[in-house]
Amino acid sequence: MQPNPAVTHFERIGGADTIRTLVHRFYEIMDQLPEAYGIRKLHAESLQGSEDKLFKFLCGWMGGPQLYIQEYGHPMLRRRHLPFPISVSERDQWLLCMDTALNEVVQDVALRRELSSAFAKVADHMRNRAEGNAA
């Protein structure tokens, strides 16, 4: 069965409550997985601020309310991430956490695949360092 293109990812995932669950689980995984240490150390000790911002961003990115834009303006994702060294390793760590969270939270296999593919494209776009280059 093909998804209806008029139905947003926000609706398909189950709205804000499911996105909040996804984001919370994403940051729990990041905090727990030794394989995610590289990206965890780029964040503040408390992940609450990051969790809130990602939740607001994803609501709008998935076609729901533009909470992030209302509060912070245009996301300018790449520009906002430039201060943080992001290479293939950090990209892959982020995707590992997100894909794990998606697999746990999102029941719809097709939606999981679509979101994973979209996240991979965004995560790759965030790269701003060559592998092994911290400067």
Side-chain angles (χ1 to χ4, degrees), residues 64-124:
Q66 297 293 324
L67 304 174
Y68 186 94
I69 290 173
Q70 290 168 9
E71 189 167 340
Y72 302 105
H74 190 284
M76 298 180 290
L77 286 181
R78 186 152 165 71
R79 186 163 137 195
R80 290 185 196 266
H81 286 82
L82 280 176
F84 308 102
I86 302 171
S87 68
V88 170
S89 178
E90 287 79 17
R91 176 203 65 194
D92 291 349
Q93 290 172 49
W94 193 95
L95 288 171
L96 171 65
C97 296
M98 184 53 77
D99 283 339
T100 303
L102 281 169
N103 286 330
E104 292 180 13
V105 174
V106 179
Q107 302 304 309
D108 180 331
V109 175
L111 177 59
R112 258 197 331 255
R113 210 174 352 215
E114 290 169 32
L115 291 174
S116 180
S117 176
F119 281 133
K121 289 176 186 171
V122 173
D124 195 55

